[in-house]
Structure formats: structure tokens, C-alpha cells
């Protein structure tokens, strides 16, 4: 029906069933939306600010004349807006001081339900379209997803996932506020009681920016403990307050675990997410170093036992930290990480390269900068023992990113362990491989610090 030099998605049908809402994706952050006429094959694109806004989750009104959607058009955070298809006028209906996510509408199209991402913790809300009335539901520290309205518009079902509560189904009555857990997936109720709920740990970084983290402390902590960082990927990802089996396993073994949202993470506004773009890349690495140095001064941390773990872009953060700041971490674990932006962009899929260049820069314009910061050019500085794993079929971060690093380190007999998964791609998805990888991680750390 439509072809173009870009990445396109179908987001839904127009009520007439003769048009599709389509999205053109420019970057991981920004896009444009419009209507594809199935008779003519032409697209009526609606917005011009292609580089700076996102438009997602389109929901048509009863008449089909208006479209409700999530957008950060001319806003720092994601809002709920109404777009009129005739006047092309965009009206903002719901604005919060955080990103709005997970927008759903009831069958009668009278009520919206949505979540507010408050620094990685979700709050649920409903909004009446006609009156503007708002009601809230809050389950504590965790995230909300998969929301769905009952046919009588009186109840919302959803999945709640918290650090101490694994994903389960709940329902909430908008009439009396009654909240009910419908199912418990935990095989043993004592299991949830053993889990650790994090606190928010915020530091002031080198330039005065406040950088938040989720900090997990082992239960019954009585002496200085080893510290492990879990660094998210993306780089536009965000660590949220969810059940994380690796983090919980490490706290059960007696580790303090820090999961930071350094500059460049989503969920904190447009300004924050762009603070690590291209030539500002190493500022996010310095955030990680600032957090590590702050935690080393805490009375519950053994400053001689500090490890850093990261996956994908988080793997780059690991490698960048131990090459450019070799005295900070005493152990490192890199999962499918980038060791060189130059070779990554040369070898990743062409579609992927196009989406990533706005974040990382281009080889043509920024190649010399890549050569300056890429960990592969600084392997001689590494002092921390390293564990690395990668899937042989990774289409996003080619396995060569890991193997060129391994070659360099083994050439000088640096302590490095390498697990190559022949049947995995960018993630470790097979249960037995997860057992292999995460058991190796725990054993690697225990060997270093116990």
C-alpha cells in the first residue's frame, strides 16, 4: 500500500475502514503520524516538527472527527492531546509534570485511563472526557501496564509489577476505589517477603545536574557490603521500579545494588534525554562515576568491592567506565555491549544505523570523536577483571563488538571470561541460557569479592 525511504508502522484503522493511521519513525524518540488512504495510497502527514516530537497511541472519537493521542509536541513531557482531522488543530487535554503513558479509553469513549511515570514509578489515573474529572489509583512502588476497561466502564483491569511483587493481574473500581489482586503468580508467599524494595538515591553530578538511581540494600545489612551497578541500555531506556530477578538475586547474596538513570534516560523530559547526545556522550559515563564515588563514601559500602554490569548500550557504559576511569570499579560484566561506535555503525543493519545516528553521531562527522572515546582504543588502561557474554546472531550489536575486545584483552593476558551463545541474538531469552549467564555472573562476583 505504501513504500518510502524510512521506517513505517501501522497504528490503527480509521473508523471508516478505508484509511490507516501510520507512523514514520525518524529516531528512537521522534516520529510523525498521518492517514494513509487505501484507495489512493497517499499519506496525509499531520505534523511538521519532525525532529523534536513523538505521537503515539492514537484513539479515534466516536464520530471519527477527532483523534486522541500521546504527544510531547511543544512540551517537555508527554501529554494527552486531541487532534481535529478537519482543522488540524491540536488541543492539549491532560498535562502532568511527568510523562503520561499507557493511554486507553472505555467502550463508550467517555473515560480515559492512563499512567504517570514519576521517575520510574507508575501512578494510575482516569479522566472523564466531558467533565474533566480525574481520579487516581496507587499501588505503591511499581509499574502498571496492560490496562483494559470493563464493558460497563466501571472497572479497570491491569498488570502491576513491583520490585517486591511479581507481575500480577489487578482490578480497580472507579466508583468505590476498591482495589483487588485477582491472581498471585508467586509460588510461595514468603518469596515476595524476601524481596527488597529500593529507595531513590539522588546525587548532584559534576555540572550540578541531579541524577537519580534506584538503590537496593540487602535485608539485615550489618557490615560494609560489596556494591554492584546495573546500567540500563538504550541509551534512551529507563530503569523502572519493577521486579528484576538479577538485582534481587544479588541483594540476596549480600550486594548493595544501584540501578541508575543517568542523563540520556527517558522519563525525565526532553531536556534530560538529550544531555548525552553525540559529543556529550561521556557526560553520562561521568554521571555513573559520580554516583559510584558518592556511594563509596556511604557507611554501608565496601569501597574496595565495586562492580559495574550493563547490557547493550549499558555494556558500552561498562567498557567506557573501566577504560576511561580504571580506578573506580574493581569488577565488570558486559552483556552484548558496544566497544566502538565506529565499527558498530559500520556493521549494524542499515535501518538501525539510520535510527541511531541522531543519538550517536555519524562516522563522517564524528568519527574522530568515536576514536577518542571508544573503549576498544583504551584496553591497556583496564585493570578490572571482566566477564563478557554475547549472542552469535545479534542483529543490533554485532558479536564482533565483543570479540574484538576479547582479542585485545587476551593478547595481554588480562583476566577475562567470555560466554558465546550460538543460539541467541541481542538478548538472552532461552531459559537454560539465562541460567548459564546469570549463574556465571554471580560466580564471577563471588570469586572476586568473597
Amino acid at each position: 500500500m505504501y513504500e518510502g525511504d524510512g521506517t513505517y508502522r501501522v497504528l490503527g484503522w480509521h473508523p471508516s475502514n478505508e484509511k490507516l493511521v501510520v507512523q514514520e519513525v525518524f529516531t528512537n524518540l521522534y516520529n510523525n503520524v498521518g492517514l494513509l488512504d487505501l484507495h489512493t495510497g497517499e499519506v496525509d502527514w499531520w505534523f511538521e516538527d519532525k525532529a523534536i516530537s513523538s505521537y503515539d497511541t492514537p484513539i479515534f472519537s466516536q464520530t471519527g472527527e477527532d483523534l486522541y493521542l500521546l504527544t510531547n509536541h511543544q512540551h517537555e513531557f508527554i501529554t494527552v492531546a486531541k487532534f481535529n482531522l478537519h482543522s488540524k488543530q491540536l488541543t492539549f487535554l491532560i498535562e502532568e509534570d511527568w510523562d503520561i503513558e499507557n493511554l486507553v479509553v472505555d467502550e463508550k469513549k467517555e473515560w480515559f485511563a492512563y499512567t504517570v511515570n514519576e521517575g520510574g514509578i507508575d501512578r494510575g489515573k482516569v479522566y472523564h472526557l466531558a467533565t474533566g474529572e480525574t481520579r487516581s489509583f496507587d499501588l505503591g512502588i511499581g509499574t502498571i501496564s496492560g490496562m483494559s476497561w470493563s464493558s460497563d466502564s466501571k472497572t479497570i483491569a491491569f498488570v502491576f509489577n513491583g520490585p517486591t511483587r511479581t507481575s500480577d493481574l489487578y482490578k480497580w473500581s472507579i466508583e468505590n476505589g476498591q482495589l483487588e489482586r485477582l491472581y498471585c503468580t508467586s509460588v510461595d508467599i514468603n518469596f515476595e517477603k524476601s524481596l527488597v524494595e529500593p529507595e531513590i538515591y539522588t546525587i548532584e553530578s559534576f555540572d550540578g545536574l541531579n541524577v537519580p538511581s534506584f538503590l537496593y540494600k540487602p535485608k539485615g545489612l550489618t557490615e560494609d557490603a560489596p556494591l554492584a551497578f546495573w546500567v540500563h541500555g538504550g541509551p534512551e531506556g529507563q530503569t523502572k521500579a519493577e521486579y528484576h530477578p538479577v538485582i534481587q538475586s544479588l541483594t540476596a547474596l549480600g550486594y548493595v545494588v544501584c540501578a541508575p538513570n543517568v542523563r540520556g534516560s527517558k522519563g525525565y523530559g526532553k531536556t534530560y534525554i538529550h544531555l548525552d547526545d553525540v559529543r556529550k556522550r561521556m557526560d553520562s559515563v561521568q554521571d555513573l562515576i559520580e554516583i559510584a564515588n558518592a556511594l563509596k563514601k556511604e557507611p554501608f559500602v565496601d569501597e574496595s568491592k565495586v562492580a559495574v554490569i550493563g547490557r547493550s548500550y549499558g555494556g558500552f557504559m561498562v567498557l567506557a567506565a573501566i577504560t576511561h576511569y580504571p580506578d573506580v570499579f574493581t569488577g565488570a560484566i558486559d552483556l552484548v555491549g558496544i566497544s566502538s561506535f565506529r565499527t558498530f555503525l559500520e556493521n549494524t543493519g542499515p535501518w538501525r544505523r539510520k535510527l541511531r545516528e541522531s543519538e550517536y553521531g555519524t562516522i563522517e562527522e564524528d568519527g574522530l570523536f568515536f576514536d577518542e572515546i571508544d573503549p576498544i582504543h583504551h584496553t591497556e588502561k583496564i585493570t578490572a577483571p571482566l566477564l563478557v557474554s554475547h549472542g552469535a546472531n545479534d542483529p543490533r550489536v554485532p558479536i564482533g563488538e565483543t570479540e574484538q575486545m576479547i582479542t585485545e584483552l587476551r593478547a595481554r593476558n588480562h583476566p577475562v571470561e567470555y560466554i558465546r551463545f550460538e543460539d541467541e541474538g541481542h538478548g538472552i531469552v532461552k531459559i537454560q541460557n539465562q541460567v548459564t549467564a546469570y549463574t556465571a555472573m554471580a560466580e564471577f562476583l563471588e570469586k572476586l569479592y568473597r
Side-chain angles (χ1 to χ4, degrees):
M1 294 306 304
Y2 182 81
E3 292 183 359
D5 183 19
T7 299
Y8 301 93
R9 296 172 181 158
V10 176
L11 301 186
W13 286 94
H14 184 274
S16 68
N17 290 331
E18 296 180 349
K19 296 179 181 181
L20 292 173
V21 182
V22 293
Q23 182 184 71
E24 182 177 6
V25 180
F26 305 123
T27 72
N28 279 7
L29 299 176
Y30 300 127
N31 54 63
N32 196 2
V33 288
L35 271 184
L36 168 62
D37 189 311
L38 298 183
H39 298 290
T40 66
E42 296 181 354
V43 180
D44 177 17
W45 297 109
W46 291 332
F47 302 102
E48 298 297 330
D49 57 336
K50 295 183 177 181
I52 56 172
S53 297
S54 65
Y55 308 90
D56 294 287
T57 320
I59 299 169
F60 281 100
S61 64
Q62 288 281 31
T63 63
E65 295 179 355
D66 294 313
L67 188 76
Y68 304 103
L69 72 168
L70 293 174
T71 180
N72 57 8
H73 180 93
Q74 297 179 350
H75 281 69
E76 184 75 11
F77 294 98
I78 296 172
T79 68
V80 178
K82 179 177 73 173
F83 179 73
N84 184 272
L85 272 66
H86 299 298
S87 68
K88 303 295 177 70
Q89 184 70 32
L90 191 67
T91 306
F92 299 99
L93 300 179
I94 310 171
E95 301 174 56
E96 302 272 356
D97 292 330
W98 299 93
D99 282 344
I100 295 175
E101 301 172 339
N102 299 307
L103 181 69
V104 292
V105 67
D106 71 328
E107 214 171 277
K108 301 174 184 176
K109 300 200 173 179
E110 295 177 348
W111 286 94
F112 282 146
Y114 61 93
T115 59
V116 183
N117 176 0
E118 298 182 1
I121 299 170
D122 286 349
R123 310 299 184 195
K125 291 191 176 184
V126 296
Y127 173 90
H128 194 268
L129 276 167
T131 66
E133 177 189 359
T134 302
R135 303 176 192 176
S136 302
F137 58 99
D138 186 359
L139 286 81
I141 295 180
T143 63
I144 298 168
S145 62
M147 291 193 296
S148 178
W149 285 92
S150 61
S151 58
D152 62 5
S153 303
K154 294 181 179 180
T155 306
I156 299 171
F158 58 90
V159 174
F160 181 79
N161 179 337
T164 61
R165 282 182 282 177
T166 56
S167 291
D168 277 321
L169 186 64
Y170 290 75
K171 71 175 183 178
W172 177 71
S173 168
I174 70 170
E175 291 188 319
N176 58 27
Q178 183 177 351
L179 186 67
E180 182 181 353
R181 187 176 187 173
L182 300 178
Y183 188 73
C184 180
T185 56
S186 298
V187 294
D188 181 355
I189 194 66
N190 291 320
F191 170 71
E192 289 192 346
K193 294 180 180 179
S194 72
L195 300 177
V196 173
E197 189 170 276
E199 62 185 71
I200 304 297
Y201 186 84
T202 302
I203 63 108
E204 187 176 290
S205 195
F206 65 94
D207 57 356
L209 181 73
N210 287 329
V211 180
S213 302
F214 287 106
L215 187 66
Y216 296 76
K217 297 178 185 176
K219 292 190 174 183
L221 185 62
T222 58
E223 58 184 7
D224 293 356
L227 169 65
F229 278 82
W230 183 269
V231 186
H232 70 69
E236 311 95 336
Q238 180 188 27
T239 297
K240 302 187 80 172
E242 298 175 318
Y243 171 67
H244 196 303
V246 176
I247 289 177
Q248 293 292 344
S249 295
L250 290 174
T251 58
L253 289 170
Y255 292 80
V256 174
V257 180
C258 179
N261 282 314
V262 297
R263 71 187 67 201
S265 303
K266 69 179 179 181
Y268 304 91
K270 278 184 181 177
T271 301
Y272 194 86
I273 206 168
H274 287 299
L275 290 178
D276 68 338
D277 288 358
V278 193
R279 300 297 178 99
K280 296 178 283 186
R281 179 66 42 214
M282 296 303 290
D283 288 354
S284 60
V285 180
Q286 193 167 346
D287 284 345
L288 178 63
I289 301 305
E290 297 281 343
I291 300 168
N293 287 334
L295 280 170
K296 283 183 176 183
K297 298 175 184 177
E298 298 288 356
F300 49 84
V301 169
D302 184 339
E303 64 178 358
S304 68
K305 300 176 179 179
V306 182
V308 59
I309 308 165
R311 178 184 170 279
S312 190
Y313 176 80
F316 162 77
M317 291 285 286
V318 168
L319 298 175
I322 63 175
T323 51
H324 291 274
Y325 300 91
D327 298 329
V328 176
F329 297 103
T330 55
I333 300 174
D334 161 30
L335 312 173
V336 298
I338 298 169
S339 61
S340 165
F341 286 114
R342 179 185 287 276
T343 56
F344 163 74
L345 289 172
E346 285 174 344
N347 297 316
T348 194
W351 64 275
R352 180 89 178 144
R353 176 175 178 173
K354 185 174 182 179
L355 291 176
R356 295 286 65 206
E357 285 179 334
S358 63
E359 170 74 31
Y360 299 141
T362 66
I363 294 174
E364 294 75 18
E365 295 184 7
D366 305 293
L368 293 178
F369 176 69
F370 295 159
D371 296 340
E372 179 184 331
I373 69 169
D374 282 346
I376 193 63
H377 300 307
H378 301 278
T379 58
E380 76 284 353
K381 300 176 184 176
I382 297 176
T383 59
L386 187 65
L387 170 66
V388 185
S389 68
H390 212 124
N393 308 309
D394 192 337
R396 291 184 172 233
V397 179
I399 194 170
E401 289 300 304
T402 283
E403 298 201 329
Q404 64 187 0
M405 199 75 184
I406 296 298
T407 299
E408 289 280 335
L409 292 172
R410 286 179 174 169
R412 63 183 185 88
N413 296 317
H414 184 83
V416 57
E417 298 178 26
Y418 176 37
I419 305 172
R420 176 184 168 116
F421 292 104
E422 298 297 336
D423 56 350
E424 294 285 6
H426 191 56
I428 305 172
V429 299
K430 297 183 178 180
I431 294 298
Q432 187 53 54
N433 290 342
Q434 291 179 357
V435 171
T436 298
Y438 299 140
T439 300
M441 285 171 53
E443 291 176 346
F444 174 80
L445 294 174
E446 290 291 273
K447 185 168 59 179
L448 280 180
Y449 299 140
R450 301 299 185 184

